[in-house]
Amino acid sequence: MASFIAKQMVGNQLKSVKESVIGAMGGDDEKKDDAGSDGDEDPEVAEARREAEEKRKDKHRKMEAEREDMRQSIRDKYGLKKKVPEEEGMLQPQEEAGRIGRKKKTPAELAAEANAEDDDDDFARCELWGRTVYVQC
């Protein structure tokens, strides 16, 4: 880690020295001109770019509308219902997306489990030679 930081510091210093030497020699001012031209774009080019972006977005909106019409016709043909995501259902998959193990129990589930354990404290269920036997604890 320390070597990485040292390389970064030395590299940045060498880069600044290199740029100052090249600048003093009067070479490669083209790179600076190219970098500065992004902010000073020709208004006609900017307008053309904006119009192209609007056309692209409009095309995608039309395609999605056609797809939705096709989906709806299939739903009508086969009598299917459109899936409506529930608010609680939408949150749960997002939370579990990166989880490797089982999902965490809610406080309500924990309370129900504790109540069930309290009820089962008197007898324990055991399988013995194929028969279910309840044994007092």
Side-chain angles (χ1 to χ4, degrees):
M1 184 69 173
S3 63
F4 173 74
I5 295 172
K7 287 178 185 178
Q8 288 293 321
M9 291 173 53
V10 171
N12 289 340
Q13 291 174 353
L14 289 175
K15 186 177 179 181
S16 65
V17 169
K18 181 180 174 183
E19 289 175 357
S20 65
V21 169
I22 291 174
M25 296 173 83
D28 289 343
D29 288 335
E30 298 171 6
K31 292 181 183 176
K32 294 178 182 176
D33 291 339
D34 290 341
S37 65
D38 291 338
D40 301 329
E41 189 174 318
D42 188 24
E44 294 174 359
V45 174
E47 181 66 22
R49 182 174 287 132
R50 188 185 59 77
E51 288 177 7
E53 182 68 17
E54 287 178 7
K55 285 181 183 178
R56 185 188 67 80
K57 286 182 179 180
D58 189 42
K59 177 182 171 185
H60 286 282
R61 271 188 238 115
K62 287 179 183 177
M63 286 176 26
E64 186 58 33
E66 290 174 4
R67 289 179 187 147
E68 185 57 35
D69 290 341
M70 179 63 75
R71 290 183 200 117
Q72 189 59 45
S73 67
I74 291 171
R75 282 187 212 110
D76 293 341
K77 181 178 178 181
Y78 295 105
L80 303 173
K81 295 181 181 177
K82 185 175 182 179
K83 292 183 180 178
V84 180
E86 298 176 11
E87 292 180 19
E88 293 178 15
M90 290 181 63
L91 295 177
Q92 202 170 26
Q94 291 174 354
E95 293 172 358
E96 294 177 1
R99 183 172 295 276
I100 295 173
R102 64 176 177 82
K103 68 173 193 165
K104 290 185 176 180
K105 294 183 179 179
T106 63
E109 291 173 339
L110 290 173
E113 189 175 300
N115 289 338
E117 288 177 4
D118 290 341
D119 294 340
D120 294 337
D121 283 344
D122 296 339
F123 295 96
R125 180 178 175 197
C126 298
E127 292 285 330
L128 185 62
W129 293 299
R131 293 187 173 178
T132 304
V133 180
Y134 294 95
V135 181
Q136 190 170 7
C137 298

Tab-separated table of all heavy atoms in Angstrom, residues 8-22:
chain	number	residue	atom	x	y	z
A	8	GLN	N	2.372	6.960	-6.742
A	8	GLN	CA	1.433	7.984	-7.165
A	8	GLN	C	2.002	9.383	-6.962
A	8	GLN	O	1.887	10.249	-7.825
A	8	GLN	CB	0.109	7.850	-6.388
A	8	GLN	CG	-0.712	6.662	-6.787
A	8	GLN	CD	-1.241	6.787	-8.193
A	8	GLN	OE1	-1.638	7.851	-8.635
A	8	GLN	NE2	-1.225	5.680	-8.914
A	9	MET	N	2.625	9.598	-5.814
A	9	MET	CA	3.181	10.920	-5.518
A	9	MET	C	4.319	11.247	-6.474
A	9	MET	O	4.383	12.347	-7.042
A	9	MET	CB	3.662	10.974	-4.062
A	9	MET	CG	2.522	10.922	-3.057
A	9	MET	SD	3.059	10.773	-1.360
A	9	MET	CE	4.193	12.112	-1.194
A	10	VAL	N	5.233	10.300	-6.682
A	10	VAL	CA	6.367	10.538	-7.570
A	10	VAL	C	5.889	10.685	-9.000
A	10	VAL	O	6.359	11.544	-9.740
A	10	VAL	CB	7.400	9.388	-7.439
A	10	VAL	CG1	8.475	9.503	-8.495
A	10	VAL	CG2	8.010	9.395	-6.050
A	11	GLY	N	4.918	9.860	-9.399
A	11	GLY	CA	4.392	9.924	-10.755
A	11	GLY	C	3.737	11.261	-11.045
A	11	GLY	O	3.917	11.828	-12.126
A	12	ASN	N	2.987	11.790	-10.104
A	12	ASN	CA	2.335	13.082	-10.296
A	12	ASN	C	3.363	14.199	-10.409
A	12	ASN	O	3.213	15.120	-11.211
A	12	ASN	CB	1.367	13.370	-9.145
A	12	ASN	CG	0.146	12.483	-9.200
A	12	ASN	OD1	-0.184	11.918	-10.237
A	12	ASN	ND2	-0.528	12.342	-8.080
A	13	GLN	N	4.413	14.131	-9.609
A	13	GLN	CA	5.453	15.155	-9.672
A	13	GLN	C	6.191	15.079	-10.999
A	13	GLN	O	6.479	16.107	-11.624
A	13	GLN	CB	6.429	14.995	-8.503
A	13	GLN	CG	5.816	15.340	-7.162
A	13	GLN	CD	6.740	15.040	-5.995
A	13	GLN	OE1	7.792	14.455	-6.171
A	13	GLN	NE2	6.324	15.456	-4.803
A	14	LEU	N	6.500	13.870	-11.464
A	14	LEU	CA	7.189	13.720	-12.747
A	14	LEU	C	6.312	14.196	-13.890
A	14	LEU	O	6.794	14.800	-14.847
A	14	LEU	CB	7.600	12.264	-12.962
A	14	LEU	CG	8.734	11.744	-12.082
A	14	LEU	CD1	8.949	10.269	-12.331
A	14	LEU	CD2	10.013	12.515	-12.346
A	15	LYS	N	5.027	13.934	-13.803
A	15	LYS	CA	4.106	14.372	-14.845
A	15	LYS	C	4.059	15.892	-14.928
A	15	LYS	O	4.092	16.461	-16.023
A	15	LYS	CB	2.699	13.818	-14.552
A	15	LYS	CG	1.699	14.098	-15.644
A	15	LYS	CD	0.369	13.458	-15.313
A	15	LYS	CE	-0.646	13.766	-16.388
A	15	LYS	NZ	-1.941	13.173	-16.065
A	16	SER	N	4.028	16.564	-13.784
A	16	SER	CA	3.989	18.032	-13.799
A	16	SER	C	5.292	18.606	-14.343
A	16	SER	O	5.291	19.598	-15.074
A	16	SER	CB	3.694	18.569	-12.399
A	16	SER	OG	4.749	18.241	-11.518
A	17	VAL	N	6.424	17.988	-14.009
A	17	VAL	CA	7.715	18.454	-14.537
A	17	VAL	C	7.756	18.245	-16.041
A	17	VAL	O	8.200	19.118	-16.799
A	17	VAL	CB	8.887	17.710	-13.836
A	17	VAL	CG1	10.204	17.975	-14.540
A	17	VAL	CG2	8.957	18.111	-12.382
A	18	LYS	N	7.284	17.097	-16.495
A	18	LYS	CA	7.277	16.790	-17.930
A	18	LYS	C	6.422	17.800	-18.695
A	18	LYS	O	6.820	18.293	-19.756
A	18	LYS	CB	6.732	15.373	-18.132
A	18	LYS	CG	6.698	14.920	-19.563
A	18	LYS	CD	6.145	13.496	-19.640
A	18	LYS	CE	5.955	13.072	-21.077
A	18	LYS	NZ	5.363	11.727	-21.162
A	19	GLU	N	5.247	18.131	-18.165
A	19	GLU	CA	4.370	19.101	-18.815
A	19	GLU	C	5.005	20.484	-18.861
A	19	GLU	O	4.888	21.201	-19.861
A	19	GLU	CB	3.027	19.154	-18.107
A	19	GLU	CG	2.180	17.924	-18.327
A	19	GLU	CD	0.905	17.949	-17.506
A	19	GLU	OE1	0.699	18.894	-16.722
A	19	GLU	OE2	0.111	17.002	-17.643
A	20	SER	N	5.688	20.873	-17.790
A	20	SER	CA	6.317	22.192	-17.779
A	20	SER	C	7.475	22.258	-18.774
A	20	SER	O	7.681	23.278	-19.424
A	20	SER	CB	6.786	22.559	-16.367
A	20	SER	OG	7.818	21.684	-15.956
A	21	VAL	N	8.246	21.174	-18.908
A	21	VAL	CA	9.352	21.147	-19.863
A	21	VAL	C	8.820	21.209	-21.289
A	21	VAL	O	9.334	21.967	-22.117
A	21	VAL	CB	10.229	19.884	-19.646
A	21	VAL	CG1	11.215	19.702	-20.781
A	21	VAL	CG2	10.948	19.965	-18.318
A	22	ILE	N	7.789	20.445	-21.579
A	22	ILE	CA	7.212	20.456	-22.929
A	22	ILE	C	6.604	21.816	-23.218
A	22	ILE	O	6.734	22.345	-24.323
A	22	ILE	CB	6.170	19.332	-23.071
A	22	ILE	CG1	6.878	17.983	-23.042
A	22	ILE	CG2	5.372	19.474	-24.353
A	22	ILE	CD1	5.931	16.798	-23.037
